[in-house]
Amino acid sequence: MGLTKQYLAFKPVSNFNIIASGRANVAFVSVGGVDGRFVAVAGAEQVLVWNTRLGEKAMELVRDKQEVTYLRPSPDQKHLAVGYTDGVIEMFSFESKQSVCTFAAHRSAVSAMNFDLIGLKLVSGGLDNDLVVSDVVAQSGKCRLVGHNGAITEACFMQRYHDVVLSSSKDTQIKFWNIETESCFKTIVDHRTEVWGIALMRNDDFLVAGSGDSQLSVYKVAENSSNPIAEPTGDLDDLLLESEATSPFRCTQIGNIQRSGYGRTINLVVENNGQILGCHGTDKKIELFYFYNDDEALVRLTKRLKKLDAKSKGEDNTNTNSVERQLSLTDEIKRLPAVQVPEKVKSFDLLLGSNNELRICVTYVKNFVQVFTLNVAEKHAEANAIHTIRQPGHPSEVRSVAFSSDSLAIASGSGESLKLWSRASQASLRTIETGYVVSTCFVPGDRHVLVGLKTGQLLIVDIVTGETIERIAAHEKELWSIVLMPDMRGCVTGGGDTTVKFWSFELIADPTKDDKSEVKVLSLLHKNVLKLEETVLCVRISRNSKYIAVALLDSTVKIFFLDTLKFYLSLYGHKLPVLCMDISYDSTIIVTGSADRSIKIWGMDFGDCHRSLIGHDNSIMGLEFIPKTHLFFSCGKDGKLKQWDADSFEKIITLPGHVGEAHSLAVSPNGKYVVSCGSDRTLRLYERTDEPLILQDVQEEEREELENKTLATGEDSSVPGLPGLKLPSKKTIGSEKAAENILECLEVSKTFEEEETKNIIPPLMFAYEATNTDDFLLAVLTRIRASDLEEALLLLPFSAVCELLERIPKLTQSRKDQTEIICKVVLFLFRIHQKPIVNNQILLPVIQDIIHNLQGAIVELRDMVGVNFHGMQMLQREVEANQGVELFRDATKSRRQKDMRRKRKEAAAKRTLVQIST
């Protein structure tokens, strides 16, 4: 066998420049027991937890290459639920920084999430129009609620009424769902436009909804009395009264809140106590509203009535409207001072702390985070910005990147500024306001950076002082490309004004100093110009100083002699303009990348096309050779970063790229690092490792990954005979593999039991560390992810189901420690295959054994838990009596406080409600 060419693998090092993604929300989180200081935001496919006081990252929570769309911390602040674009929800632990469970809930992006009061259930809504209620303890879905005709915009649990879920959607409806019956029992259809947010205030006393207009609708939620309100007069009234009677509460609109901002409502956010509501529209303002409790509202009503009586006596008017003497919306709600923000708001979160201090954390479209504080009790208080995280990122998308000659610094340019980064620590060193940057290049010596702007100006930036030394009007239109001369004594620029200009570096006296000063500064001296017929998109010079290649808008690349500027070759073959290109170190190969998605490899001697490759799924945006090799990297609008071999014309590897488009890339002069920038506002750094890479292995892995993305059994998970069954999970690769493992386990177990010599354990059973078939089956079942178990059992054929059920009675007796998972499997199989199981007479004795054994196992398990619980309580009382100390004092104290808070909420919910009208 001949030797195969080996390559060294590149691996991702880190992502930087991103502060907060524009797609997901922001949430206050508690880290180490500290509240109000840490916020969790999305950073493309990562979750970033920022310390707002120090402006530093506290932690990163990472999953696969899927963008984060929604965040929600648990009520105990120990976990963070994260929703992704593929519909998966991950539960991360703040302590371990790892995922503790996964819910494959939706078929598209997660758009809303909320925990119940104690954090045992999680409701999520997606762009697939469905709601899924998940059991956090069992780590599996509980039910799927189907009925909306548009994407879910908000979903939450009601605190006062157990097992009731409230949801809003773009179909203009607000629905109330019962989890136990998995049905909608009430729908509000008052809105004419999409409902963008809902909020339950003051322990479910009020429901506030925000839609496409400039008003917030306020509904009063009251317990439904058994007596009918009025006698029915028609069929429609009968239906309305019947629907009201089936509901445990009435929900009536009592008025509207007129927003001072303009545009539609984008977000409605409630702080933890349910007393302060925040909302924002399309303007630069966050409005806050305070909902009074019952006692405060009655005090305000009394004051208003006194003023009303005094006014009526003065006017001798005794016919005061009785409606004015009832509790109104103005008595219940107070408008707090609005928070004026500097930029367009993406999302925000509220946290009410001690001393009535309200903290507002705001994320902006321009990639920065700001924290405001407001004293709610103060009469004329104003919100003040106390923390801002702006330094570690560009406000807009990065368009150009470049490495310094020592590979220690990275320059990146965006629509407003140029930033200098440390490659080792990924920390921002300098920020220089420049304008819209489209090209960058380090000057030899790494003390200056040349910056090409969209206006055509060429800037010389001093890295040390962080100032722009000189602005040169180099081109009349965009300056698309800057390249250094091989002798490092000058540079060449190409612009949209169809010219290529040649410049030389000069040291001149500093014009800002005195004439006698000997301080010299860098400047550029214009030497020559090459006039062309089309817009210049890219310029490259060969290392041997012979040729200059110019990519034009007419889809051709023209090569000229560098010394005389006479025409040498024309490379034509691309169907769309060439956006990027590079020449190899030995000046023998030129590679071009075009908007037609193809990469072409040409010879510099005759201009012949060696090979044309379909490089990316969209336009090729960046292309550069690794120094002293014929290997090169390319990136495209499909977000991927790929490495190629220009000699064998093969793709070496596809690196995990950007979420969205990739705009540009740069390879370090030592060939060890690659940095790329994209529309997800991240700069991604890759490092060459010492791990050898064999093409056949890489191609096989990519082929397997592609096969794994397509489900073998299809997306549909319907059950024959049960067309209305909607499981709270979706079919995944994990569920298909789990079903294969169960079938394989049953087959191996059957073969093992039929063999006469049972001394030889099958290899698969040995791999699971099982010595008998019962342990083998349980090992397979316990290794299946809880959210995939139901889908895996659903894929089993009925013959395998019968075989599995026949093993359950013996399994129950031998492994009573696994009673829970055995019950879960049996109940699900009975629910799905009820009719065939009932009609199968052979399974009748098996079912009787299962019922008898499982009931006994559950009773035994319950008794054991009860004995242990009360035994521990007795031991605790004895220790406390003997030693005079209280065990678990901190935990007991916190539990008592929680119980007291819960009892206060329940007591508030049972108070007599005041009649409210508009």
Side-chain angles (χ1 to χ4, degrees), residues 712-723:
T713 56
E715 294 285 345
D716 189 22
S717 59
S718 60
V719 185
L722 295 173

Side-chain angles (χ1 to χ4, degrees), residues 29 31 40-49 57-64 66 68 71 78-82 84 90-99:
V29 295
V31 177
V41 296
E45 74 277 10
Q46 296 178 330
V47 177
L48 308 176
V49 179
K57 283 183 196 174
M59 67 176 71
E60 295 181 2
L61 307 175
V62 186
R63 187 190 163 241
D64 298 335
Q66 296 292 338
V68 176
L71 304 170
K78 291 183 179 179
H79 297 90
L80 181 70
V82 184
Y84 294 88
E90 293 273 1
M91 289 277 291
F92 288 95
S93 169
F94 285 120
E95 185 178 354
S96 64
K97 303 179 185 178
Q98 300 294 326
S99 174

Side-chain angles (χ1 to χ4, degrees), residues 485-487 541-548 561-563 587:
M485 297 289 285
D487 57 4
I541 300 174
S542 64
R543 300 292 192 278
N544 59 8
S545 302
K546 278 190 175 183
Y547 309 111
I548 177 171
F561 290 103
L562 184 60
D563 50 358
S587 305

